[in-house]
Amino acid sequence: MTDSQQTVYVVEDDEAVRDSLELLLKSDGKPVSTYDNANAFLKDYSEKMAGCIVLDIRMPGMDGMELQKKLNEKHSILPIIFVTGHGDVPMAVDAMKEGAVDFIQKPYREEALLQKIEAALEQDREQRKTLGEKQEILRRVKSLTPREHEIMDRMIAGQANKVIAIELEISQRTVEIHRSRVMHKMGTHSLAHLVRMVLSVKDLIDPR
């Protein structure tokens, strides 16, 4: 994933509302892309997109809630702000359960919407920073040889060099060499730091 310019993606079938939002966002200095239906946005969607989505719920064809589910299936991390003129509490609850960051009803105050968009963009920046850090850790983990990976797993489990040597039937000196290489490749001198790094990507490491 590469850094992309943050953009506010407006998905809204009402042309007047869509044009109004585009004008508002541009006047606030924010890059904006508009779509008049959910399928058009989904066709353009890429995991490299950065920013947030201002998404209408009620649209012909695929509605906003369906688009949100499609994006979740693609593991999108773009924050979504729902706007609707026909929303209700159960609908808002469903949207938030699926990961929407906000849910506002029309008519809304422009200043309030801009504040919510700014908060969503900040969330997007933080999420992408965290994702970038995890990808770097994964890159380091993948640089380990199978034996180094095995040694690292045992280090994280708290096993001493002597125990690792006995269980793997290798010399303690060999364990020490592998251990040193693991720490070097993972870019740390601290076992506690190594444990934190690996745990942070545990769900992303392929089971071996």
Side-chain angles (χ1 to χ4, degrees), residues 167-181:
E167 292 191 356
L168 296 183
E169 299 180 340
I170 57 178
S171 72
Q172 191 166 331
R173 176 57 183 156
T174 300
V175 173
E176 291 170 355
I177 293 172
H178 283 306
R179 186 182 184 111
S180 175
R181 288 174 179 166

Side-chain angles (χ1 to χ4, degrees), residues 42 62 65-74:
L42 201 56
M62 184 189 301
M65 300 288 281
E66 289 179 86
L67 176 58
Q68 181 187 34
K69 290 178 181 176
K70 294 283 186 185
L71 291 172
N72 285 344
E73 290 171 3
K74 294 177 178 293

